[in-house]
Amino acid sequence: MDPVEKNGVIDRWVKKHLVLYTGATRHPFILSIRDGTIDFSSFKRWLGQDYIFVREFVPFSASVLLKASKNSDDNSDMEVILSGLASLSDEISWFKQEAAKWDVPLSDVIVHKSNQNYCRFLESLMLPAVEYSVVFTALWAIETVYQESFSHCLEDGSKTPPELLEACQRWGSEGFGEFCCSLKKIANRCLEKAPDEELKKAEVTFLRVLELEIEFWDMSHGGPK
Ligand SMILES: Cc1ncc(CNC=O)c(N)n1
């Protein structure tokens, strides 16, 4: 493929896989937050499981940072990833505080199968052999699903319960949106230079993230286990 055709790879993939993308970013769980019908027990289930996920997401982000320091041709990549890592520290504190507020005991959360699958997938991406463009695509997709989902709950006309506004602002804020925009630019730059085979791998990884995000929402939204 010539370089011109590869421009805006991410936008092309989002368009090409719009049904799955929308499935992840407009999931019934998110729509129930937005229309105020959410069952708080679902939110609590999500909170406990996401705390475990985020703890696994830290070493994943660190592995992307390590790959940036070795492979990237642009120094600013590292700064973007580092700022993401720094906010994860704050995020872990938030989860603990929020869990206390909702009486969710984080010490004895049983890891749900869907969460376990997702964490295993992150582990597989941490292997040194996985290309920078592939892991960066995953990083962009993971963050963007949350950004698109939670910002939807803050739009005009949404009836998000006040108790959940803080959670929505964490990922739905303008600042997080800008962060995702920076991730997208870097992902596009890496993908433009990637050989076709690597590009294919990155696309498959993108689709896998979307599936895993949908399963994660399903787990939160579903009835008691
Ligand atoms: C399942 C899942 N996907 C994406 C995010 C957002 N990234 C870090 O917080 C998250 N917390 N949980």
Side-chain angles (χ1 to χ4, degrees):
M1 215 182 276
D2 78 63
V4 177
E5 264 184 273
K6 281 185 184 178
N7 261 342
V9 179
I10 294 288
D11 280 340
R12 253 202 358 222
W13 286 350
V14 168
K15 252 184 226 154
K16 181 174 168 193
H17 305 291
L18 197 57
V19 173
L20 198 60
Y21 185 79
T22 309
T25 55
R26 296 291 182 265
H27 188 277
F29 177 76
I30 283 299
L31 299 179
S32 78
I33 294 179
R34 183 186 154 99
D35 68 16
T37 62
I38 185 165
D39 181 349
F40 286 136
S41 69
S42 296
F43 178 75
K44 287 167 71 168
R45 185 165 34 232
W46 166 81
L47 191 72
Q49 294 294 326
D50 212 39
Y51 171 71
I52 291 168
F53 176 84
V54 167
R55 292 195 72 94
E56 187 68 19
F57 190 63
V58 174
F60 168 71
S61 303
S63 79
V64 180
L65 183 76
L66 192 62
K67 282 171 186 167
S69 78
K70 290 182 176 163
N71 307 311
S72 174
D73 48 14
D74 189 326
N75 298 330
S76 67
D77 288 16
M78 190 194 271
E79 287 153 41
V80 174
I81 304 163
L82 191 59
S83 77
L85 264 166
S87 50
L88 286 176
S89 163
D90 184 54
E91 194 166 307
I92 286 176
S93 309
W94 178 81
F95 270 100
K96 287 181 179 166
Q97 193 191 307
E98 195 71 4
K101 207 159 84 188
W102 291 91
D103 274 323
V104 175
L106 292 179
S107 53
D108 45 57
V109 174
I110 297 161
V111 188
H112 192 282
K113 191 87 196 136
S114 313
N115 198 1
Q116 211 172 60
N117 288 340
Y118 207 164
C119 291
R120 281 203 192 121
F121 170 74
L122 290 185
E123 267 176 42
S124 73
L125 293 177
M126 288 185 232
L127 296 174
V130 186
E131 296 87 346
Y132 182 54
S133 71
V134 173
V135 295
F136 211 96
T137 300
L139 179 66
W140 165 79
I142 294 167
E143 297 290 43
T144 300
V145 167
Y146 262 45
Q147 193 272 327
E148 291 245 20
S149 297
F150 284 109
S151 64
H152 190 52
C153 302
L154 297 172
E155 284 165 9
D156 282 349
S158 49
K159 301 190 187 83
T160 299
E163 297 93 323
L164 305 188
L165 280 175
E166 227 183 79
C168 296
Q169 267 145 9
R170 178 152 286 285
W171 295 280
S173 69
E174 228 172 273
F176 193 70
E178 282 161 16
F179 171 65
C180 290
C181 221
S182 306
L183 293 180
K184 183 175 162 182
K185 279 188 198 139
I186 297 171
N188 272 327
R189 193 199 72 226
C190 296
L191 293 167
E192 270 163 39
K193 291 179 306 194
D196 280 350
E197 205 174 311
E198 195 176 305
L199 204 60
K200 194 67 220 165
K201 257 199 249 178
E203 187 174 3
V204 169
T205 301
F206 165 53
L207 295 180
R208 189 69 192 125
V209 168
L210 296 179
E211 286 167 359
L212 287 162
E213 286 289 342
I214 292 171
E215 285 165 23
F216 201 93
W217 293 132
D218 285 346
M219 161 192 77
S220 309
H221 196 52
K225 278 193 292 175

